[in-house]
Amino acid sequence: MSAPEDSDRLVQGTSNDAAISRESAARLGYIADPFIQHFVRHPQRRAPLINRGTFTRFQGVQKALRQFLRHTSQNQQQQQQTQNQVVILGSGLDTSYFLLAKDSIRAKRYFEIDFAEINAKKAATIYKKPDMRRLLPADTKVAAGGCELHSEEYCLLSGDLRLFAQDIVPRLLEHGFDTSAPTLFVSECVLIYLDPQHSDSIIDWITESVANAAILTYEQILPSDRFGQMMIENLRARGLELRGLMAYPSLESTRDRFLSRGWASAAAIDLSDYHKKAIPQSELSRLARIEFLDEWEEFSLLAKHYAFTLAHTTHSKSFASIKLI
Ligand SMILES: C[S@@+](CC[C@H](N)C(=O)[O-])C[C@H]1O[C@@H](n2cnc3c(N)ncnc32)[C@H](O)[C@@H]1O
């Protein structure tokens, strides 16, 4: 196996890490995700501070998805249009589509994009598990030798995000992506693994081509302090490189990444502040009953190294209701 293929395989493996953490948080009752267990063959109980981090990350992403879909669906009913789109970049084994569908929250179009190797596993599991399969739209077809799922509403597409404009965009358009519809893009620990030239070209394409777009990113920040150095070295020891980290190392730079391209607004918050400001007291009390967390300093240090960034290309009403906190 050549070196680039090897590093792709290691990056693909991070989808398992994310699923194991999510399964740990779900099994203990931090989060409600009945589907993630289907993707984890060897469950592991994560440390309390990791479970708390997974819970907080999950809250941020689910809140943005639900706010966007609820708000755009209401607007559409009033205006008798039915257009809203979600694009999950590097979707891995993420179960959000099914969590939303279970609650009858549906997008007009929902795309998930990852490497074929990951999608093959995902598609096979979805088909094997009746609780997931029954949530697929009735017109769903398995395609690309089992690496893709196609339906009018939900598409699991395989490809390399480094070839976004050349390879991914034509596939999105072929499957009904509408450049004029309100669209929420999500990157949860994905753009950070790409060279900045590749992640920037995805953002450039959105800037130029999607009039009414928002993006939610959740990525690592602060590479230069001791914890940041340790985070980089731990990943490097596993052959993983956070290629985007030096180009976008702070809350300010992740915000400026969008503002400098003329986006109408961008806000960023680290996970520690998000935990303090966005999680209601009732939830914090519930979590305290699940598992005792006494490593608050460690949690805060860890959580300062992850950030949500939410940016909108326009001041459109579609996005007014999606807020980080
Ligand atoms: C840390 S995982 C996160 C998965 C998912 N977003 C989540 O939060 O559970 C990173 C994902 O990005 C995908 N990824 C990284 N680089 C990619 C690329 N160039 N093309 C397609 N997918 C990529 C990996 O395969 C992996 O599934």
Side-chain angles (χ1 to χ4, degrees):
M1 189 180 277
S2 70
E5 280 170 352
D6 213 16
S7 80
D8 284 0
R9 193 176 47 76
L10 293 168
V11 170
Q12 289 163 15
T14 62
S15 62
N16 286 325
D17 298 332
I20 290 170
S21 293
R22 192 139 148 178
E23 195 279 336
S24 169
R27 187 156 32 92
L28 291 165
Y30 280 85
I31 62 173
D33 184 345
F35 307 116
I36 194 65
Q37 55 172 328
H38 301 324
F39 296 101
V40 177
R41 225 180 275 161
H42 304 291
Q44 292 172 31
R45 185 175 178 144
R46 296 291 204 213
L49 89 170
I50 302 294
N51 289 327
R52 184 66 72 123
T54 304
F55 162 85
T56 314
R57 161 183 178 171
F58 179 83
Q59 286 299 110
V61 176
Q62 295 302 309
K63 196 166 111 186
L65 281 168
R66 281 163 196 257
Q67 283 174 338
F68 170 70
L69 289 173
R70 286 219 172 95
H71 182 82
T72 45
S73 304
Q74 272 165 15
N75 270 1
Q76 285 163 10
Q77 274 164 14
Q78 281 156 17
Q79 294 161 17
Q80 308 217 314
Q81 296 167 357
T82 46
Q83 295 296 331
N84 56 13
Q85 303 176 133
V86 172
V87 180
I88 310 287
L89 303 165
S91 42
L93 304 172
D94 179 30
T95 52
S96 296
Y97 174 79
F98 296 88
L99 295 175
L100 294 163
K102 181 172 77 62
D103 293 344
S104 306
I105 302 173
R106 293 202 177 257
K108 173 77 176 162
R109 292 196 178 81
Y110 194 109
F111 299 95
E112 297 191 306
I113 304 162
D114 210 297
F115 286 114
E117 290 83 345
I118 301 300
N119 286 350
K121 173 178 172 184
K122 187 167 189 171
T125 304
I126 293 169
Y127 263 78
K128 246 189 283 166
K129 299 294 173 183
D131 59 340
M132 298 192 87
R133 190 175 175 164
R134 75 178 174 80
L135 292 168
L136 285 174
D139 62 336
T140 305
K141 292 189 176 53
V142 181
C147 302
E148 299 200 347
L149 298 176
H150 298 167
S151 75
E152 202 168 313
E153 179 202 316
Y154 171 69
C155 281
L156 177 67
L157 299 179
S158 296
D160 186 339
L161 290 169
R162 289 167 296 195
L163 304 172
F164 197 76
Q166 307 95 298
D167 279 5
I168 304 288
V169 169
R171 313 284 330 282
L172 286 170
L173 295 173
E174 180 193 333
H175 290 283
F177 182 89
D178 176 353
T179 52
S180 66
T183 305
L184 176 62
F185 292 82
V186 177
S187 160
E188 225 184 311
C189 292
V190 176
L191 293 182
I192 198 85
Y193 286 109
L194 306 184
D195 278 326
Q197 76 189 85
H198 292 128
S199 55
D200 282 349
S201 75
I202 297 176
I203 294 167
D204 286 338
W205 182 80
I206 298 171
T207 311
E208 283 155 24
S209 313
V210 188
N212 208 349
I215 188 165
L216 177 72
T217 68
Y218 171 82
E219 316 277 3
Q220 290 90 335
I221 54 166
L222 305 184
S224 302
D225 63 13
R226 260 178 63 191
F227 187 95
Q229 287 293 309
M230 200 179 70
M231 176 170 82
I232 293 170
E233 278 159 26
N234 287 346
L235 287 168
R236 208 166 268 162
R238 297 172 49 200
L240 292 164
E241 210 54 58
L242 297 176
R243 297 173 192 278
L245 188 52
M246 296 317 279
Y248 301 104
S250 60
L251 293 176
E252 294 72 30
S253 58
T254 64
R255 251 189 330 248
D256 290 347
R257 181 175 203 179
F258 299 99
L259 296 176
S260 66
R261 288 176 163 78
W263 287 43
S265 72
I269 185 167
D270 69 46
L271 199 69
S272 173
D273 270 354
Y274 186 85
H275 182 270
K276 278 189 208 133
K277 294 179 182 162
I279 310 297
Q281 189 52 49
S282 57
E283 271 297 83
L284 296 177
S285 308
R286 186 182 71 80
L287 299 184
R289 288 193 295 274
I290 293 177
E291 214 175 25
F292 186 61
L293 178 65
D294 62 354
E295 309 129 314
W296 281 107
E297 254 179 58
E298 287 89 337
F299 175 73
S300 167
L301 190 60
L302 170 89
K304 287 254 163 250
H305 289 77
Y306 289 85
F308 285 118
T309 305
L310 177 67
H312 306 151
T313 50
T314 64
H315 285 298
S316 109
K317 271 202 280 178
S318 311
F319 300 129
S321 67
I322 328 179
K323 297 204 169 68
L324 282 173
I325 51 172

